Amino acid sequence: MSIVPHDRAPIHALGEPLDRCHRFSRVYPGVLSRIARVRSDLATDLSDLIGPLRETGEDIVLCVSEMFANACDHSRSGQDDEGRVIRLLHRPTATSVRVAIVDDGVRTDRSVPSEPRIPFPRSSGEGLEAERGRGLLLIDHLAARWGTRSVLEFPFCSGLGTVTWAEFVLPEVAR
């Protein structure tokens, strides 16, 4: 079961706001080629939410790119032709912004771990040679707080999807 029903046509276009109440929520196909669109939409939404993008806005866009790529690589969002990723953005307080990525759940092939976690420490040689595995380290460094949780917190619903979120403190200018 995916997080977005696929048995009927969506009432919104992909990449468009879900509704006027949740203006900063968007749904995308779970393919890596959509990252440029995710980044562009997020920059627009952040500009509407906090004003002109500054360093914090650029950090948020980078972190969401990493979370989106992880959802495509490690969940059913990127495995199924109809996989989807939901991007959420809101301002829980006057001094912070929270972003989240919701994926379609555990991959059926289970060839890649689906639980987001910071990779084990590497030696300096391994770290220089590694082509992957730095996304969550970036998020951990740039965000004030971040974490993951199951879409539904019921034991029989495990594997239906993961919410990966990050919170950022706004500089004085954006408050």
Side-chain angles (χ1 to χ4, degrees):
M1 171 182 283
S2 69
I3 56 174
V4 178
H6 301 293
D7 56 348
R8 62 179 194 261
I11 57 173
H12 63 281
L14 292 175
E16 294 302 316
L18 290 174
D19 62 40
R20 296 196 191 285
C21 296
H22 297 99
R23 182 168 179 221
F24 301 112
S25 300
R26 297 181 187 258
V27 179
Y28 299 93
V31 291
L32 290 173
S33 63
R34 298 299 291 217
I35 285 182
R37 175 71 187 263
V38 172
R39 291 173 66 93
S40 173
D41 288 346
L42 180 58
T44 299
D45 292 346
L46 277 169
S47 181
D48 290 347
L49 188 65
I50 64 173
L53 290 182
R54 291 178 174 70
E55 187 176 329
T56 302
E58 293 168 4
D59 290 349
I60 295 169
V61 171
L62 175 62
C63 289
V64 168
S65 295
E66 294 296 334
M67 291 189 286
F68 183 86
N70 282 347
C72 293
D73 283 347
H74 299 286
S75 77
R76 279 191 21 205
S77 295
Q79 180 183 15
D80 298 336
D81 289 339
E82 296 180 350
R84 301 286 184 256
V85 177
I86 298 173
R87 193 232 53 215
L88 307 166
L89 169 68
H90 74 283
R91 196 167 174 174
T93 68
T95 61
S96 66
V97 169
R98 182 178 281 199
V99 291
I101 291 289
V102 183
D103 67 38
D104 262 349
V106 176
R107 293 176 78 99
T108 54
D109 65 6
R110 305 229 183 209
S111 61
V112 229
S114 61
E115 180 67 26
R117 64 183 180 276
I118 293 179
F120 60 89
R122 299 176 176 146
S123 70
S124 60
E126 289 175 327
L128 292 173
E129 297 295 320
E131 293 181 15
R132 302 173 56 92
R134 293 187 181 96
L136 292 178
L137 290 170
L138 279 169
I139 295 167
D140 189 57
H141 179 74
L142 296 173
R145 303 179 320 136
W146 75 278
T148 65
R149 65 174 178 79
S150 195
V151 169
L152 294 172
E153 299 293 337
F154 295 108
F156 57 88
C157 294
S158 67
L160 287 181
T162 301
V163 179
T164 304
W165 59 271
E167 195 167 300
F168 299 84
V169 176
L170 295 172
E172 287 290 327
V173 179
R175 294 181 187 179

